[in-house]
Amino acid sequence: MATLERLDVSHAPALLRFERENRAFFARSVPDRGDGYFAGFDARHAALLAEQAAGTCHFHVLIDDDGEVLGRFNLVDVLDGSAELGFRVAERATGQGVASEGVRRVLGLARDEYGLSRLYASAALDNAASLGVLRRTGFTPAGEVTLEGRPGLRHVRQLTAPD
Ligand SMILES: CC(C)(COP(=O)(O)OP(=O)(O)OC[C@H]1O[C@@H](n2cnc3c(N)ncnc32)[C@H](O)[C@@H]1OP(=O)(O)O)[C@@H](O)C(=O)NCCC(=O)NCCS
């Protein structure tokens, strides 16, 4: 059974493997992180943990029984009770509801642990899998956006009502 864990320093090696192994898969749907991301991974990881400690973001990894990362679910730009959600799942684990379940768990944490009342998430119109996850987890479209030049939809999810 996979566990959703708050990102910490011990996750760095598995997270780097996850990003390396799935780089080409992710780049088909979202902008590639670039070679610099991989070269400077450890410093960036430390910087992300410092941001998390300051309370402006909450990072989570879904870990399988072998200690490998199945997905990551991030809340960034935490401000005035709201935050922006982003997620990605290992190619080998897709199509099994992993993203939907991870998002549901993060919704609970956002409301109960972090005291947030509203989440936003954006997906490109041609990212059907991501749009499916957002719809299934109760997000509703809230306006058009442009994501790296691609048309997309911004979504909102109120957290005050029970899931
Ligand atoms: C988007 C992503 C997180 C989905 O992960 P996942 O674990 O496969 O998602 P789930 O299985 O929970 O749900 C996917 C659902 O979307 C829909 N879906 C998936 N692929 C689809 C496709 N090619 N066309 C239409 N609908 C699709 C389906 O409804 C599917 O659920 P179902 O198979 O149970 O009906 C994963 O594909 C990924 O990491 N992609 C690259 C990064 C990315 O796009 N992140 C989101 C940025 S906004």
Side-chain angles (χ1 to χ4, degrees):
M1 162 112 181
T3 56
L4 189 76
E5 300 178 6
R6 187 169 170 86
L7 189 70
D8 67 33
V9 70
S10 72
H11 294 123
L15 190 60
L16 179 55
R17 277 196 298 280
F18 167 83
E19 291 288 350
R20 274 203 180 118
E21 288 168 7
N22 294 286
R23 182 175 179 179
F25 169 61
F26 295 148
R28 294 207 290 270
S29 309
V30 292
D32 181 57
R33 294 193 188 281
D35 292 341
Y37 172 87
F38 296 92
F41 184 87
D42 287 340
R44 183 184 159 84
H45 194 74
L48 291 178
L49 293 178
E51 273 184 54
Q52 179 168 254
T56 54
C57 41
H58 304 287
F59 303 113
H60 312 87
V61 282
L62 193 65
I63 304 288
D64 71 11
D65 292 341
D66 299 321
E68 296 300 326
V69 173
L70 283 179
R72 60 190 308 187
F73 300 86
N74 295 335
L75 298 173
V76 301
D77 297 339
V78 175
L79 188 68
D80 294 336
S82 70
E84 191 85 24
L85 170 71
F87 49 85
R88 49 181 59 196
V89 164
E91 183 172 19
R92 67 182 171 89
T94 53
Q96 302 164 37
V98 169
S100 301
E101 179 56 26
V103 170
R104 279 191 201 102
R105 291 196 215 175
V106 168
L107 291 176
L109 286 176
R111 187 187 55 214
D112 302 335
E113 299 289 327
Y114 309 141
L116 300 177
S117 54
R118 190 182 320 106
L119 294 186
Y120 294 97
S122 294
L125 293 183
D126 60 6
N127 194 341
S130 182
L131 292 169
V133 171
L134 293 175
R135 191 178 56 244
R136 201 175 4 268
T137 54
F139 281 82
T140 53
E144 296 176 6
V145 286
T146 302
L147 303 168
E148 307 282 333
R150 296 152 68 198
L153 273 181
R154 184 165 167 80
H155 293 69
V156 64
R157 170 68 151 87
Q158 303 294 340
L159 300 176
T160 42
D163 292 333

mmCIF file of all heavy atoms in Angstrom, residues 25-26 29-30 86-90 93-101 122-124 127-136, ligand 1:
data_model
loop_
_atom_site.group_PDB
_atom_site.id
_atom_site.type_symbol
_atom_site.label_atom_id
_atom_site.label_comp_id
_atom_site.label_asym_id
_atom_site.label_seq_id
_atom_site.Cartn_x
_atom_site.Cartn_y
_atom_site.Cartn_z
ATOM 1 N N PHE A 25 8.403 11.029 -20.415
ATOM 2 C CA PHE A 25 6.944 10.903 -20.258
ATOM 3 C C PHE A 25 6.332 12.237 -19.824
ATOM 4 O O PHE A 25 5.354 12.707 -20.419
ATOM 5 C CB PHE A 25 6.636 9.802 -19.231
ATOM 6 C CG PHE A 25 5.205 9.760 -18.794
ATOM 7 C CD1 PHE A 25 4.186 9.514 -19.709
ATOM 8 C CD2 PHE A 25 4.861 9.981 -17.464
ATOM 9 C CE1 PHE A 25 2.859 9.493 -19.307
ATOM 10 C CE2 PHE A 25 3.541 9.956 -17.048
ATOM 11 C CZ PHE A 25 2.532 9.716 -17.973
ATOM 12 N N PHE A 26 6.910 12.853 -18.807
ATOM 13 C CA PHE A 26 6.367 14.129 -18.334
ATOM 14 C C PHE A 26 6.435 15.190 -19.429
ATOM 15 O O PHE A 26 5.515 15.993 -19.586
ATOM 16 C CB PHE A 26 7.124 14.613 -17.089
ATOM 17 C CG PHE A 26 6.965 13.730 -15.880
ATOM 18 C CD1 PHE A 26 7.994 13.604 -14.945
ATOM 19 C CD2 PHE A 26 5.786 13.032 -15.653
ATOM 20 C CE1 PHE A 26 7.849 12.804 -13.825
ATOM 21 C CE2 PHE A 26 5.634 12.216 -14.530
ATOM 22 C CZ PHE A 26 6.671 12.101 -13.618
ATOM 23 N N SER A 29 3.586 16.086 -21.677
ATOM 24 C CA SER A 29 2.395 16.800 -21.195
ATOM 25 C C SER A 29 2.691 18.145 -20.568
ATOM 26 O O SER A 29 1.842 19.033 -20.572
ATOM 27 C CB SER A 29 1.659 15.959 -20.135
ATOM 28 O OG SER A 29 1.424 14.660 -20.568
ATOM 29 N N VAL A 30 3.865 18.272 -19.946
ATOM 30 C CA VAL A 30 4.205 19.515 -19.242
ATOM 31 C C VAL A 30 5.626 19.907 -19.646
ATOM 32 O O VAL A 30 6.399 19.050 -20.098
ATOM 33 C CB VAL A 30 4.097 19.337 -17.700
ATOM 34 C CG1 VAL A 30 2.643 19.151 -17.279
ATOM 35 C CG2 VAL A 30 4.936 18.176 -17.217
ATOM 36 N N GLY A 86 -0.280 20.977 -7.898
ATOM 37 C CA GLY A 86 0.332 20.365 -9.070
ATOM 38 C C GLY A 86 0.633 18.909 -8.766
ATOM 39 O O GLY A 86 0.856 18.555 -7.601
ATOM 40 N N PHE A 87 0.619 18.048 -9.791
ATOM 41 C CA PHE A 87 0.874 16.622 -9.535
ATOM 42 C C PHE A 87 1.441 15.951 -10.771
ATOM 43 O O PHE A 87 1.259 16.415 -11.894
ATOM 44 C CB PHE A 87 -0.415 15.905 -9.094
ATOM 45 C CG PHE A 87 -1.616 16.174 -9.962
ATOM 46 C CD1 PHE A 87 -1.843 15.447 -11.105
ATOM 47 C CD2 PHE A 87 -2.521 17.177 -9.624
ATOM 48 C CE1 PHE A 87 -2.946 15.692 -11.921
ATOM 49 C CE2 PHE A 87 -3.625 17.444 -10.421
ATOM 50 C CZ PHE A 87 -3.835 16.694 -11.572
ATOM 51 N N ARG A 88 2.139 14.857 -10.559
ATOM 52 C CA ARG A 88 2.649 14.013 -11.642
ATOM 53 C C ARG A 88 2.839 12.609 -11.102
ATOM 54 O O ARG A 88 3.151 12.425 -9.923
ATOM 55 C CB ARG A 88 3.948 14.572 -12.230
ATOM 56 C CG ARG A 88 5.009 14.938 -11.221
ATOM 57 C CD ARG A 88 6.267 15.516 -11.876
ATOM 58 N NE ARG A 88 6.011 16.698 -12.660
ATOM 59 C CZ ARG A 88 6.869 17.212 -13.560
ATOM 60 N NH1 ARG A 88 8.039 16.623 -13.764
ATOM 61 N NH2 ARG A 88 6.575 18.282 -14.249
ATOM 62 N N VAL A 89 2.625 11.626 -11.970
ATOM 63 C CA VAL A 89 2.651 10.213 -11.560
ATOM 64 C C VAL A 89 3.593 9.447 -12.486
ATOM 65 O O VAL A 89 3.646 9.729 -13.697
ATOM 66 C CB VAL A 89 1.209 9.628 -11.619
ATOM 67 C CG1 VAL A 89 1.210 8.114 -11.587
ATOM 68 C CG2 VAL A 89 0.370 10.197 -10.482
ATOM 69 N N ALA A 90 4.335 8.499 -11.946
ATOM 70 C CA ALA A 90 5.249 7.682 -12.748
ATOM 71 C C ALA A 90 4.491 6.986 -13.873
ATOM 72 O O ALA A 90 3.399 6.457 -13.657
ATOM 73 C CB ALA A 90 5.934 6.637 -11.863
ATOM 74 N N ALA A 93 2.818 3.707 -13.350
ATOM 75 C CA ALA A 93 1.690 3.618 -12.409
ATOM 76 C C ALA A 93 0.438 4.314 -12.927
ATOM 77 O O ALA A 93 -0.575 4.375 -12.225
ATOM 78 C CB ALA A 93 2.095 4.229 -11.071
ATOM 79 N N THR A 94 0.473 4.824 -14.152
ATOM 80 C CA THR A 94 -0.676 5.597 -14.637
ATOM 81 C C THR A 94 -1.856 4.695 -15.000
ATOM 82 O O THR A 94 -1.705 3.480 -15.162
ATOM 83 C CB THR A 94 -0.297 6.450 -15.873
ATOM 84 O OG1 THR A 94 0.297 5.593 -16.842
ATOM 85 C CG2 THR A 94 0.641 7.561 -15.500
ATOM 86 N N GLY A 95 -3.021 5.321 -15.112
ATOM 87 C CA GLY A 95 -4.231 4.609 -15.526
ATOM 88 C C GLY A 95 -4.821 3.698 -14.470
ATOM 89 O O GLY A 95 -5.657 2.846 -14.766
ATOM 90 N N GLN A 96 -4.387 3.887 -13.215
ATOM 91 C CA GLN A 96 -4.890 3.027 -12.129
ATOM 92 C C GLN A 96 -5.507 3.848 -11.007
ATOM 93 O O GLN A 96 -5.701 3.347 -9.893
ATOM 94 C CB GLN A 96 -3.725 2.208 -11.548
ATOM 95 C CG GLN A 96 -3.003 1.345 -12.559
ATOM 96 C CD GLN A 96 -1.650 0.867 -12.016
ATOM 97 O OE1 GLN A 96 -1.509 0.561 -10.832
ATOM 98 N NE2 GLN A 96 -0.655 0.817 -12.878
ATOM 99 N N GLY A 97 -5.738 5.120 -11.268
ATOM 100 C CA GLY A 97 -6.339 5.965 -10.237
ATOM 101 C C GLY A 97 -5.366 6.512 -9.216
ATOM 102 O O GLY A 97 -5.777 7.074 -8.198
ATOM 103 N N VAL A 98 -4.056 6.363 -9.467
ATOM 104 C CA VAL A 98 -3.055 6.817 -8.495
ATOM 105 C C VAL A 98 -3.134 8.333 -8.296
ATOM 106 O O VAL A 98 -3.142 8.828 -7.173
ATOM 107 C CB VAL A 98 -1.637 6.394 -8.944
ATOM 108 C CG1 VAL A 98 -0.564 7.080 -8.099
ATOM 109 C CG2 VAL A 98 -1.498 4.877 -8.844
ATOM 110 N N ALA A 99 -3.208 9.081 -9.400
ATOM 111 C CA ALA A 99 -3.265 10.543 -9.265
ATOM 112 C C ALA A 99 -4.541 10.962 -8.541
ATOM 113 O O ALA A 99 -4.507 11.817 -7.651
ATOM 114 C CB ALA A 99 -3.190 11.201 -10.641
ATOM 115 N N SER A 100 -5.662 10.364 -8.899
ATOM 116 C CA SER A 100 -6.935 10.745 -8.264
ATOM 117 C C SER A 100 -6.884 10.482 -6.763
ATOM 118 O O SER A 100 -7.319 11.319 -5.957
ATOM 119 C CB SER A 100 -8.091 9.963 -8.895
ATOM 120 O OG SER A 100 -8.145 10.224 -10.280
ATOM 121 N N GLU A 101 -6.331 9.344 -6.379
ATOM 122 C CA GLU A 101 -6.251 9.010 -4.952
ATOM 123 C C GLU A 101 -5.265 9.951 -4.241
ATOM 124 O O GLU A 101 -5.548 10.420 -3.130
ATOM 125 C CB GLU A 101 -5.818 7.549 -4.786
ATOM 126 C CG GLU A 101 -5.663 7.089 -3.351
ATOM 127 C CD GLU A 101 -6.932 7.281 -2.513
ATOM 128 O OE1 GLU A 101 -8.042 7.303 -3.070
ATOM 129 O OE2 GLU A 101 -6.787 7.423 -1.267
ATOM 130 N N SER A 122 -4.375 24.121 -12.603
ATOM 131 C CA SER A 122 -4.545 24.396 -14.029
ATOM 132 C C SER A 122 -4.054 23.220 -14.848
ATOM 133 O O SER A 122 -3.086 22.549 -14.477
ATOM 134 C CB SER A 122 -3.767 25.651 -14.437
ATOM 135 O OG SER A 122 -4.311 26.783 -13.807
ATOM 136 N N ALA A 123 -4.735 22.966 -15.964
ATOM 137 C CA ALA A 123 -4.321 21.895 -16.878
ATOM 138 C C ALA A 123 -4.552 22.352 -18.305
ATOM 139 O O ALA A 123 -5.524 23.073 -18.588
ATOM 140 C CB ALA A 123 -5.124 20.620 -16.601
ATOM 141 N N ALA A 124 -3.662 21.918 -19.194
ATOM 142 C CA ALA A 124 -3.828 22.242 -20.606
ATOM 143 C C ALA A 124 -5.035 21.491 -21.167
ATOM 144 O O ALA A 124 -5.349 20.370 -20.726
ATOM 145 C CB ALA A 124 -2.565 21.854 -21.375
ATOM 146 N N ASN A 127 -4.450 17.991 -22.168
ATOM 147 C CA ASN A 127 -4.009 17.034 -21.138
ATOM 148 C C ASN A 127 -5.245 16.356 -20.533
ATOM 149 O O ASN A 127 -5.689 16.667 -19.424
ATOM 150 C CB ASN A 127 -3.189 17.747 -20.063
ATOM 151 C CG ASN A 127 -2.432 16.785 -19.170
ATOM 152 O OD1 ASN A 127 -2.773 15.599 -19.105
ATOM 153 N ND2 ASN A 127 -1.424 17.273 -18.486
ATOM 154 N N ALA A 128 -5.792 15.416 -21.282
ATOM 155 C CA ALA A 128 -7.055 14.788 -20.885
ATOM 156 C C ALA A 128 -6.934 14.055 -19.551
ATOM 157 O O ALA A 128 -7.879 14.060 -18.752
ATOM 158 C CB ALA A 128 -7.508 13.816 -21.969
ATOM 159 N N ALA A 129 -5.791 13.431 -19.314
ATOM 160 C CA ALA A 129 -5.633 12.680 -18.058
ATOM 161 C C ALA A 129 -5.709 13.616 -16.859
ATOM 162 O O ALA A 129 -6.394 13.330 -15.863
ATOM 163 C CB ALA A 129 -4.302 11.935 -18.071
ATOM 164 N N SER A 130 -5.026 14.759 -16.957
ATOM 165 C CA SER A 130 -5.029 15.702 -15.851
ATOM 166 C C SER A 130 -6.422 16.308 -15.653
ATOM 167 O O SER A 130 -6.900 16.439 -14.520
ATOM 168 C CB SER A 130 -4.000 16.800 -16.129
ATOM 169 O OG SER A 130 -3.947 17.691 -15.046
ATOM 170 N N LEU A 131 -7.078 16.665 -16.743
ATOM 171 C CA LEU A 131 -8.447 17.199 -16.640
ATOM 172 C C LEU A 131 -9.374 16.168 -16.000
ATOM 173 O O LEU A 131 -10.249 16.517 -15.201
ATOM 174 C CB LEU A 131 -8.963 17.600 -18.029
ATOM 175 C CG LEU A 131 -8.264 18.792 -18.677
ATOM 176 C CD1 LEU A 131 -8.663 18.922 -20.146
ATOM 177 C CD2 LEU A 131 -8.578 20.086 -17.928
ATOM 178 N N GLY A 132 -9.161 14.883 -16.338
ATOM 179 C CA GLY A 132 -9.980 13.811 -15.742
ATOM 180 C C GLY A 132 -9.777 13.716 -14.243
ATOM 181 O O GLY A 132 -10.725 13.557 -13.477
ATOM 182 N N VAL A 133 -8.529 13.837 -13.810
ATOM 183 C CA VAL A 133 -8.222 13.777 -12.374
ATOM 184 C C VAL A 133 -8.899 14.941 -11.649
ATOM 185 O O VAL A 133 -9.541 14.755 -10.598
ATOM 186 C CB VAL A 133 -6.693 13.830 -12.143
ATOM 187 C CG1 VAL A 133 -6.374 14.000 -10.667
ATOM 188 C CG2 VAL A 133 -6.026 12.566 -12.689
ATOM 189 N N LEU A 134 -8.793 16.134 -12.216
ATOM 190 C CA LEU A 134 -9.378 17.317 -11.556
ATOM 191 C C LEU A 134 -10.900 17.181 -11.466
ATOM 192 O O LEU A 134 -11.498 17.477 -10.419
ATOM 193 C CB LEU A 134 -8.981 18.585 -12.310
ATOM 194 C CG LEU A 134 -7.478 18.921 -12.244
ATOM 195 C CD1 LEU A 134 -7.157 20.117 -13.128
ATOM 196 C CD2 LEU A 134 -7.051 19.193 -10.804
ATOM 197 N N ARG A 135 -11.511 16.731 -12.535
ATOM 198 C CA ARG A 135 -12.983 16.575 -12.530
ATOM 199 C C ARG A 135 -13.394 15.562 -11.464
ATOM 200 O O ARG A 135 -14.315 15.781 -10.691
ATOM 201 C CB ARG A 135 -13.445 16.139 -13.924
ATOM 202 C CG ARG A 135 -14.956 16.198 -14.118
ATOM 203 C CD ARG A 135 -15.345 15.796 -15.529
ATOM 204 N NE ARG A 135 -14.837 14.474 -15.873
ATOM 205 C CZ ARG A 135 -13.943 14.220 -16.822
ATOM 206 N NH1 ARG A 135 -13.427 15.206 -17.527
ATOM 207 N NH2 ARG A 135 -13.538 12.992 -17.066
ATOM 208 N N ARG A 136 -12.679 14.440 -11.423
ATOM 209 C CA ARG A 136 -13.051 13.355 -10.507
ATOM 210 C C ARG A 136 -12.847 13.734 -9.038
ATOM 211 O O ARG A 136 -13.486 13.173 -8.158
ATOM 212 C CB ARG A 136 -12.237 12.103 -10.832
ATOM 213 C CG ARG A 136 -12.857 10.835 -10.318
ATOM 214 C CD ARG A 136 -12.155 9.553 -10.710
ATOM 215 N NE ARG A 136 -10.935 9.688 -11.459
ATOM 216 C CZ ARG A 136 -10.861 9.695 -12.787
ATOM 217 N NH1 ARG A 136 -11.946 9.590 -13.504
ATOM 218 N NH2 ARG A 136 -9.706 9.799 -13.395
HETATM 219 C C1 LIG B 1 -1.917 13.385 -15.452
HETATM 220 C C2 LIG B 1 -1.442 12.204 -14.598
HETATM 221 C C3 LIG B 1 -1.003 12.748 -13.250
HETATM 222 C C4 LIG B 1 -2.587 11.211 -14.426
HETATM 223 O O1 LIG B 1 -2.145 10.184 -13.552
HETATM 224 P P1 LIG B 1 -2.985 8.817 -13.389
HETATM 225 O O2 LIG B 1 -2.531 8.186 -12.111
HETATM 226 O O3 LIG B 1 -2.925 8.017 -14.625
HETATM 227 O O4 LIG B 1 -4.461 9.388 -13.210
HETATM 228 P P2 LIG B 1 -5.731 8.543 -12.759
HETATM 229 O O5 LIG B 1 -5.526 7.115 -13.107
HETATM 230 O O6 LIG B 1 -6.072 8.912 -11.359
HETATM 231 O O7 LIG B 1 -6.863 9.198 -13.665
HETATM 232 C C5 LIG B 1 -6.659 9.427 -15.014
HETATM 233 C C6 LIG B 1 -8.030 9.563 -15.604
HETATM 234 O O8 LIG B 1 -7.997 10.561 -16.582
HETATM 235 C C7 LIG B 1 -8.658 10.054 -17.712
HETATM 236 N N1 LIG B 1 -7.653 9.776 -18.717
HETATM 237 C C8 LIG B 1 -6.428 9.230 -18.569
HETATM 238 N N2 LIG B 1 -5.786 9.203 -19.747
HETATM 239 C C9 LIG B 1 -6.639 9.732 -20.650
HETATM 240 C C10 LIG B 1 -6.565 9.973 -22.037
HETATM 241 N N3 LIG B 1 -5.452 9.721 -22.743
HETATM 242 N N4 LIG B 1 -7.637 10.508 -22.650
HETATM 243 C C11 LIG B 1 -8.746 10.790 -21.948
HETATM 244 N N5 LIG B 1 -8.851 10.592 -20.630
HETATM 245 C C12 LIG B 1 -7.822 10.073 -19.993
HETATM 246 C C13 LIG B 1 -9.398 8.868 -17.325
HETATM 247 O O9 LIG B 1 -10.649 9.258 -16.809
HETATM 248 C C14 LIG B 1 -8.534 8.306 -16.241
HETATM 249 O O10 LIG B 1 -9.233 7.565 -15.302
HETATM 250 P P3 LIG B 1 -9.870 6.128 -15.642
HETATM 251 O O11 LIG B 1 -8.844 5.431 -16.480
HETATM 252 O O12 LIG B 1 -10.034 5.524 -14.282
HETATM 253 O O13 LIG B 1 -11.150 6.442 -16.328
HETATM 254 C C15 LIG B 1 -0.230 11.486 -15.258
HETATM 255 O O14 LIG B 1 -0.618 11.069 -16.540
HETATM 256 C C16 LIG B 1 1.007 12.367 -15.384
HETATM 257 O O15 LIG B 1 1.796 12.475 -14.450
HETATM 258 N N6 LIG B 1 1.184 13.016 -16.565
HETATM 259 C C17 LIG B 1 2.336 13.857 -16.818
HETATM 260 C C18 LIG B 1 2.387 15.103 -15.904
HETATM 261 C C19 LIG B 1 1.093 15.876 -15.924
HETATM 262 O O16 LIG B 1 0.441 16.024 -16.954
HETATM 263 N N7 LIG B 1 0.703 16.383 -14.747
HETATM 264 C C20 LIG B 1 -0.492 17.205 -14.606
HETATM 265 C C21 LIG B 1 -0.175 18.611 -14.953
HETATM 266 S S1 LIG B 1 -1.633 19.656 -14.907
#
